[in-house]
């Protein structure tokens, strides 16, 4: 899907790994919009971010981005089936 954007927003979570263990704590949820920009909101209602890319939301929330809906190519293949 080169040069095009999905028409359906993709969801993501922003997570921390407290105390250095492997368990994740979700600190925010977000969506990547069809134009590639993203919106995220922290679960404690303290921060809302509107970013040019989902990766920028990582920086604002100080957390790791985890895609909930998978890769765009996988999603587009499922939609077209």
């Amino acid at each position: 899907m080169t040069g095009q954007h999905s028409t359906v927003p993709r969801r993501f979570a922003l997570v921390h790994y407290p105390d250095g263990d492997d368990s994740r704590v979700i600190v925010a949820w977000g969506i990547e919009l069809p134009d590639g920009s993203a919106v995220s909101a922290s679960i404690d209602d303290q921060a809302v971010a509107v970013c040019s890319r989902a990766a920028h939301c990582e920086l604002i929330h100080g957390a790791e981005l985890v895609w909930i809906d998978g890769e765009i190519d996988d999603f587009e293949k499922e939609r077209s089936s």
Side-chain angles (χ1 to χ4, degrees):
M1 195 168 148
T2 307
Q4 296 178 352
H5 298 286
S6 173
T7 57
V8 177
R10 285 196 308 162
R11 301 171 297 159
F12 60 86
L14 294 158
V15 300
H16 281 173
Y17 294 87
D19 304 324
D21 64 19
D22 290 339
S23 61
R24 300 185 278 199
V25 174
I26 297 171
V27 297
W29 297 103
I31 57 170
E32 180 184 57
L33 302 172
D35 68 356
S37 64
V39 178
S40 63
S42 63
I43 61 169
D44 62 4
D45 297 327
Q46 296 297 311
V48 173
V50 178
C51 302
S52 60
R53 295 182 12 200
H56 295 161
C57 294
E58 277 185 306
L59 301 172
I60 290 171
H61 293 281
E64 181 182 323
L65 186 142
V66 177
W67 291 106
I68 296 169
D69 293 321
E71 296 296 323
I72 289 176
D73 292 337
D74 295 339
F75 183 72
E76 288 299 316
K77 288 175 189 172
E78 288 175 21
R79 265 184 68 213
S80 63
S81 298

